Amino acid sequence: MKLEEFDFDLPEELIAQEPIENRSKSRLLVLNKSTGEIEHKIFEDVIDYLQKGDCLVLNNTKVIPARLIGRRQRTGGRIEVVLLKPIENDVWEALVKPGSKARKGEEIVFGNGQLTAKVLDNTDYGGRLMQFFYEGSFEEILDKLGQMPTPPYIKKKLEDKDRYQTVYAQIPGSAAAPTAGLHFTEELLNKLRAKGVSIVFITLHVGLGTFRPVKVENVEDHKMHSEYYEVSPEAAETICRTKETGKRVIAVGTTSTRTLETIGDENGMVKPGNGWSDIFIYPGYKFKVVDALITNFHLPKSTLIMLVSAFAGKEKVFKAYEEAIREKYRFFSFGDAMLII
């Protein structure tokens, strides 16, 4: 399977630069994966497609202000660091730009020196292992010095940091938002609960595995970077009960999907626990747990569009994307949504 098969042309003006004022008023393209039928709705209409007894699975990770702008201690040159995941004892995996200036042993200063870092080593994906030094609380320093790590295709500065968080974000640790969840409001979630839809929260901290570009020609050769997940006993029990009663498990986002498919057995049952997921889902994969999917519109040649193509069929997905482009849907992180049933 070739990488070029997952490419498409997207007019730049369709890349959403900021979130719309009301989260649940985004547009919603509904794709029936059996028939290929497409409907055009508003996101809050998602309630009409969920039934009593269904289980909606949301990723409650919280984005940390993981983007730090520093300077090389030796030369004063500018360095940008994006924290990906903690290792131990204040050592983090990070992306560094420009990477050529962040050699082993390089020391970097942030702010007025309340935070410093030393490059310990390179990683196998082009990132760096960095040791951080500070006094007090790392989280408080990060809140003061860090910026929200919005994707590079968003050129406009985000005025309200909370708009790059879901309304149910709870567990800090992500370098990017699980963007399918950005469309939900507390009001919509309460309406779903009142309808009898079970709502459960799992955690997957979004890191390099989610947004690392695919650079190999043969899709099967791509290796996912691992991301940390946690699933509580209560969440696992509700998901299993949903499967046992013949109702649907609806994943919100590719991160929820990957977590569920990591922990699910052949019968669609899941067990609680935590660990690291490096599952790579592309066409040919047989889904075990997820019955329906809420997701955004994704980048060409990304692992995300490969997952969606695996779920609904590549031909149907690309036809839906063609229609979304014709209808001028908004794409990517702050864009519109898609429900696949």
Side-chain angles (χ1 to χ4, degrees):
M1 197 174 298
K2 300 296 184 186
L3 180 60
E4 292 303 319
E5 296 177 43
F6 296 92
D7 198 10
F8 62 91
D9 291 323
L10 180 71
E12 193 173 342
E13 65 267 20
L14 296 186
I15 300 173
Q17 292 298 312
E18 58 188 347
I20 66 168
E21 188 173 342
N22 187 326
R23 291 174 184 258
S24 62
K25 296 293 185 184
S26 294
R27 295 168 75 187
L28 178 71
L29 185 149
V30 182
L31 171 63
N32 186 310
K33 66 176 183 172
S34 299
T35 65
E37 180 188 356
I38 292 171
E39 297 178 88
H40 300 288
K41 299 287 183 177
I42 299 299
F43 188 80
E44 61 190 6
D45 295 332
V46 75
I47 194 169
D48 298 331
Y49 295 88
L50 273 63
Q51 300 158 7
K52 183 178 181 180
D54 285 343
C55 178
L56 190 69
V57 182
L58 301 145
N59 182 5
N60 67 356
T61 188
K62 189 172 186 178
V63 185
I64 60 174
R67 182 172 177 256
L68 291 161
I69 306 299
R71 63 188 185 280
R72 296 167 68 198
Q73 194 167 53
R74 198 162 45 85
T75 66
R78 184 182 188 273
I79 288 276
E80 179 180 324
V81 174
V82 176
L83 304 177
L84 292 178
K85 68 180 183 186
I87 307 300
E88 58 182 0
N89 301 326
D90 293 315
V91 175
W92 283 73
E93 282 190 23
L95 294 176
V96 181
K97 193 164 65 174
S100 61
K101 305 297 184 185
R103 298 187 181 91
K104 189 174 178 179
E106 189 77 49
E107 296 183 355
I108 301 167
V109 179
F110 303 95
N112 294 320
Q114 52 272 61
L115 181 66
T116 61
K118 185 175 184 178
V119 178
L120 301 181
D121 210 346
N122 295 352
T123 64
D124 57 5
Y125 56 83
R128 299 291 185 272
L129 285 180
M130 303 182 72
Q131 172 86 56
F132 285 86
F133 305 93
Y134 55 91
E135 289 185 7
S137 163
F138 185 72
E139 287 75 18
E140 287 179 10
I141 291 170
L142 204 57
D143 276 339
K144 193 179 294 182
L145 299 180
Q147 303 170 19
M148 291 305 254
T150 50
Y153 50 76
I154 294 176
K155 312 297 183 189
K156 191 168 183 177
K157 186 181 177 185
L158 183 63
E159 298 299 332
D160 180 1
K161 282 185 180 181
D162 286 341
R163 290 310 307 272
Y164 196 55
Q165 304 277 19
T166 61
V167 296
Y168 47 81
Q170 191 174 4
I171 314 295
S174 273
T179 55
L182 294 177
H183 305 283
F184 284 93
T185 61
E186 288 291 357
E187 181 185 9
L188 180 55
L189 290 171
N190 287 333
K191 284 180 179 177
L192 287 164
R193 290 186 183 100
K195 190 173 182 177
V197 175
S198 298
I199 294 176
V200 301
F201 298 99
I202 61 176
T203 306
L204 182 131
H205 291 319
V206 186
L208 192 62
T210 295
F211 58 83
R212 182 187 183 191
V214 179
K215 294 183 177 178
V216 291
E217 186 180 344
N218 294 311
V219 166
E220 295 91 337
D221 295 336
H222 178 71
K223 297 288 186 284
M224 292 289 282
H225 191 255
S226 62
E227 296 167 313
Y228 180 77
Y229 70 82
E230 288 184 5
V231 178
S232 69
E234 296 78 16
E237 183 185 350
T238 302
I239 292 163
C240 289
R241 188 169 64 245
T242 302
K243 300 299 282 188
E244 286 166 353
T245 56
K247 296 297 185 179
R248 298 174 301 172
V249 172
I250 296 124
V252 177
T254 57
T255 59
S256 296
T257 300
R258 290 177 55 238
T259 305
L260 293 171
E261 294 299 315
T262 295
I263 63 173
D265 66 18
E266 293 305 316
N267 299 312
M269 297 293 112
V270 300
K271 290 182 179 178
N274 58 26
W276 296 88
S277 174
D278 62 359
I279 189 171
F280 177 27
I281 297 175
Y282 55 89
Y285 178 85
K286 302 298 181 189
F287 286 82
K288 301 170 292 188
V289 183
V290 178
D291 301 301
L293 172 63
I294 296 171
T295 188
N296 275 22
F297 291 94
H298 301 297
L299 275 74
K301 300 197 281 192
S302 65
T303 60
L304 308 177
I305 197 169
M306 291 172 194
L307 183 151
V308 174
S309 296
F311 188 72
K314 180 177 171 295
E315 188 178 336
K316 291 188 180 79
V317 167
F318 272 70
K319 280 186 177 175
Y321 269 54
E322 286 171 13
E323 181 150 342
I325 290 169
R326 276 198 306 272
E327 295 292 327
K328 299 198 181 319
Y329 274 68
R330 302 163 78 244
F331 274 64
F332 305 163
S333 295
F334 288 140
D336 295 314
M338 187 176 188
L339 168 64
I340 304 173
I341 52 175

